[in-house]
């Protein structure tokens, strides 16, 4: 006989018919329900009882559902809250997601969607399980990494679309996987797709599938990436590389939560959480009319920035030790030792390729080093990417200080422009310059 306690759901709505509908539906799911007609009653119940989920209307007699979300975030941030909004109130729903809501429903409430949302919310892992798993996968104790782990922990409890920004090699896909694995969709598929690697003529088929005979070479029915990710997460890497024609179709699929295969007559309902990433400045792409503004707002409900390795130099030693330990296990050889000068060289290097480049540098050095000790020369780091806080320049090679400083400035600005694909705004941010200062320096150096 099963004697485990029933999970408790708090329903907050001033309409008796809505409360009754939710109570009956959730009761049939073997869940215990508590109802409140306003903010005051909801706060009193939250004070007395522990709940596993809260469903709240947006409009309440003595406040708003958004205020209740904020109250719960302060009191019990691991309690999922779903907002019930009027049909078409997308802006309200997005504000709720940004405030920390788990998901939202629109009126009139569709019962299959309600049951799906409730089941998903009740699959949330425990808070302790979240933090421990994230710490194991994201190495580093620097403040930027501590903040990143905290944000992943919060976003894993939501169904909001997330735009993950960051440089190439910084670990954006790992962050996306952690958001998926620590959330209620963890047991369902995580489907990553590099949008820049799909030929434009095959994109619609790859994303939405096709029916047999719909085009030359379609010898059988094939499900698309949306269908493959049903119930789970679809990670759109390098989303800025999507052509405008595909952006229109992607926007519709996200809005309608349904896709139609190439050659198909009917739409298929899909339940996917969308995470996306790009190393480009997506806002600048919108300004340049290379990326649709309406799709940008749909994808960028919440932005999560992954710090570059330059922003967390204190983590380089721990990351290097981890990589060398893994290489020793993979090769069956004793673990190589990092000479202090080699470690100092790593800390003074700019790492335009971030963690991925660090791994490649150490793998090469691990192979080339003598006596299981990695010397600075084994790293073969590019001198042009060494930081200004590295070794001092040789004064015998400097004829004119102004010319030398100008050459260093030119080199760093060119590098920042190349790393950001000549996006001046992003390059200025990379160098901690105002856009006005950046524009002045470009003109002075003849780079404009």
């Amino acid at each position: 006989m099963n004697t485990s306690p029933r999970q408790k759901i708090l329903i907050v709505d001033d309409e008796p018919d809505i409360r009754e509908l939710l109570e009956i539906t959730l009761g049939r799911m073997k869940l215990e329900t508590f109802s409140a007609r306003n903010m005051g009653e909801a706060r009193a119940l939250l004070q007395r009882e522990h709940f596993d989920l809260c469903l709240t209307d947006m409009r309440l007699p003595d406040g708003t559902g958004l205020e209740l979300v904020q109250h719960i975030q302060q009191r019990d941030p691991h309690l999922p809250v779903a907002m019930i909004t009027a049909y078409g109130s997308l802006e309200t729903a997005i504000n709720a997601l940004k405030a920390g809501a788990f998901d939202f429903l629109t009126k009139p409430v569709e019962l299959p969607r309600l049951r799906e949302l409730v089941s998903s919310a009740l699959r949330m892992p425990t808070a302790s399980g979240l933090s421990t798993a994230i710490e194991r996968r994201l190495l580093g104790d620097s403040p930027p990494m501590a903040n990143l782990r905290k944000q992943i922990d919060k976003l894993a409890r939501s169904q909001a679309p997330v735009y993950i920004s960051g440089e190439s090699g910084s670990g954006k896909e790992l962050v996306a996987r952690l958001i998926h694995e620590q959330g209620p969709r963890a047991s369902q598929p995580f489907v990553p797709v590099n949008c820049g690697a799909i030929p434009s003529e095959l994109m619609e088929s790859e994303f939405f599938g096709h029916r047999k005979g719909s085009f030359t070479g379609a010898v059988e029915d094939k499900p698309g990436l949306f269908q493959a990710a049903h119930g789970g997460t679809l990670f759109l890497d390098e989303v800025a590389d999507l052509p405008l024609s595909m952006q229109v179709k992607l926007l519709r699929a996200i809005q309608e939560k349904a896709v139609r295969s190439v050659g198909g007559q009917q739409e298929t309902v899909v339940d996917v959480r969308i995470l996306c990433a790009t190393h480009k400045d997506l806002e600048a792409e919108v300004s340049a009319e290379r990326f649709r503004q309406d799709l940008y707002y749909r994808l960028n409900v919440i932005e999560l920035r992954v710090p570059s390795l330059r922003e967390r130099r204190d983590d380089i030693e721990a990351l290097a030790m981890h990589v060398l330990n893994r290489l020793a296990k993979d090769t069956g050889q004793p673990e190589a030792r990092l000479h202090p000068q080699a470690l100092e060289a790593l800390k003074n290097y700019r790492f335009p390729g971030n963690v991925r480049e660090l791994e490649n540098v150490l793998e090469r050095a691990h192979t080339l080093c003598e006596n299981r000790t990695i010397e600075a020369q084994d790293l073969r780091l590019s001198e042009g990417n060494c930081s200004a806080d590295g070794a001092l320049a040789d004064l015998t090679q400097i004829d004119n200080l102004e010319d030398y400083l100008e050459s260093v400035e030119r080199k760093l600005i060119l590098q920042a422009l190349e790393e950001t694909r000549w996006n001046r705004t992003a390059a200025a941010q990379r160098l901690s310059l105002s856009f006005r200062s950046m524009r002045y320096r470009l003109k002075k150096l003849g780079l404009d």
Side-chain angles (χ1 to χ4, degrees):
M1 182 178 176
N2 184 7
T3 58
S4 59
R6 292 200 296 174
Q7 290 172 297
K8 297 178 181 179
I9 314 296
L10 174 60
I11 300 167
V12 188
D13 201 302
D14 62 333
E15 295 184 46
D17 291 347
I18 295 289
R19 290 200 307 273
E20 184 178 6
L21 173 66
L22 297 178
E23 288 168 355
I24 292 171
T25 304
L26 299 181
R28 289 172 177 169
M29 295 176 69
K30 310 300 183 187
L31 300 169
E32 187 175 359
T33 60
F34 293 73
S35 293
R37 294 169 296 179
N38 51 49
M39 281 274 289
E41 291 182 5
R43 287 181 174 179
L45 282 168
L46 286 164
Q47 194 72 29
R48 295 199 311 266
E49 301 282 347
H50 168 76
F51 293 101
D52 299 287
L53 172 64
C54 173
L55 298 169
T56 178
D57 191 18
M58 181 60 200
R59 297 179 180 274
L60 299 170
D62 54 350
T64 67
L66 201 57
E67 291 172 332
L68 185 57
V69 170
Q70 293 165 342
H71 172 76
I72 290 174
Q73 279 289 305
Q74 294 173 356
R75 181 181 175 277
D76 185 4
H78 286 87
L79 170 60
V81 185
M83 184 75 69
I84 303 172
T85 69
Y87 179 76
S89 303
L90 179 61
E91 186 177 348
T92 300
I94 287 176
N95 288 336
L97 292 172
K98 287 181 176 179
F102 170 77
D103 207 342
F104 66 92
L105 292 165
T106 55
K107 293 181 179 179
V109 176
E110 297 178 2
L111 296 186
R113 168 74 179 128
L114 169 65
R115 288 189 285 264
E116 179 185 278
L117 182 150
V118 170
S119 298
S120 180
L122 296 179
R123 290 196 299 267
M124 283 297 303
T126 63
S128 59
L130 283 169
S131 302
T132 303
I134 294 171
E135 286 176 11
R136 280 201 304 268
R137 300 280 295 280
L138 276 181
L139 299 177
D141 297 320
S142 62
M145 291 307 287
N147 182 54
L148 180 62
R149 280 194 287 266
K150 183 178 179 181
Q151 288 178 295
I152 291 172
D153 187 3
K154 181 177 181 179
L155 292 176
R157 303 192 302 269
S158 168
Q159 295 299 289
V162 180
Y163 162 46
I164 304 169
S165 62
E167 297 177 14
S168 294
S170 57
K172 298 187 292 295
E173 183 172 338
L174 172 59
V175 168
R177 285 186 181 275
L178 285 169
I179 292 172
H180 168 77
E181 291 173 5
Q182 309 313 314
R185 296 175 180 264
S187 61
Q188 301 300 316
F190 175 84
V191 179
V193 52
N194 186 334
C195 298
I198 304 174
S200 57
E201 65 272 15
L202 296 178
M203 272 195 175
E204 188 173 359
S205 170
E206 286 294 311
F207 274 96
F208 309 133
H210 62 251
R211 300 299 301 273
K212 179 180 178 180
S214 56
F215 56 86
T216 303
V219 295
E220 60 182 359
D221 289 355
K222 179 189 172 185
L225 294 164
F226 268 85
Q227 292 95 323
H230 181 66
T233 301
L234 182 62
F235 174 53
L236 304 174
D237 199 7
E238 299 303 347
V239 71
D241 290 341
L242 286 173
L244 287 168
S245 59
M246 189 62 207
Q247 292 177 28
V248 177
K249 295 168 183 174
L250 177 62
L251 175 64
R252 188 180 187 284
I254 294 172
Q255 287 176 333
E256 301 300 324
K257 297 186 177 181
V259 297
R260 179 181 295 171
S261 301
V262 176
Q265 300 300 314
Q266 295 183 328
E267 290 192 330
T268 303
V269 174
V270 286
D271 168 32
V272 296
R273 183 182 188 184
I274 301 290
L275 305 179
C276 72
T278 179
H279 71 279
K280 295 181 180 179
D281 183 335
L282 207 51
E283 193 169 351
E285 293 295 301
V286 172
S287 298
E289 298 184 349
R290 290 188 293 266
F291 200 85
R292 291 182 62 94
Q293 188 175 53
D294 46 8
L295 179 58
Y296 170 72
Y297 287 132
R298 264 304 178 121
L299 295 175
N300 189 25
V301 171
I302 298 174
E303 181 175 353
L304 176 61
R305 184 176 174 276
V306 181
S308 67
L309 193 51
R310 293 185 300 284
E311 298 172 74
R312 53 187 192 107
R313 294 185 187 277
D314 292 344
D315 295 332
I316 287 177
E317 183 172 2
L319 287 166
M321 295 303 103
H322 174 76
V323 172
L324 292 176
N325 179 264
R326 176 172 55 78
L327 288 170
K329 290 179 180 178
D330 290 346
T331 61
Q333 298 176 344
E335 186 173 335
R337 185 178 76 90
L338 201 59
H339 191 280
Q341 289 183 352
L343 177 59
E344 191 66 21
L346 289 175
K347 289 184 176 180
N348 288 328
Y349 185 66
R350 282 186 56 80
F351 282 106
N354 292 290
V355 177
R356 188 184 299 136
E357 184 180 5
L358 174 63
E359 292 173 340
N360 292 338
V361 164
L362 290 174
E363 188 168 355
R364 181 176 62 229
H366 185 270
T367 303
L368 297 174
C369 71
E370 301 287 343
N371 302 317
R372 313 309 307 155
T373 299
I374 296 176
E375 305 282 352
Q377 61 267 26
D378 295 324
L379 299 172
R380 299 189 177 184
L381 299 175
S382 166
E383 292 183 6
N385 280 319
C386 288
S387 301
D389 56 358
L392 291 173
D394 184 353
L395 291 178
T396 62
Q397 298 177 7
I398 298 177
D399 296 322
N400 182 292
L401 179 60
E402 290 296 330
D403 289 346
Y404 175 75
L405 292 176
E406 186 172 293
S407 70
V408 171
E409 184 178 18
R410 177 191 296 271
K411 185 181 294 183
L412 292 176
I413 288 177
L414 281 171
Q415 182 178 323
L417 287 167
E418 288 169 1
E419 289 178 14
T420 58
R421 297 195 178 186
W422 290 82
N423 183 310
R424 296 184 180 193
T425 303
Q429 292 173 345
R430 184 75 49 81
L431 296 169
S432 297
L433 296 173
S434 68
F435 184 73
R436 185 177 180 181
S437 176
M438 182 69 163
R439 189 168 53 189
Y440 165 76
R441 291 167 192 267
L442 289 172
K443 186 173 182 179
K444 182 186 74 169
L445 297 170
L447 297 173
D448 59 343

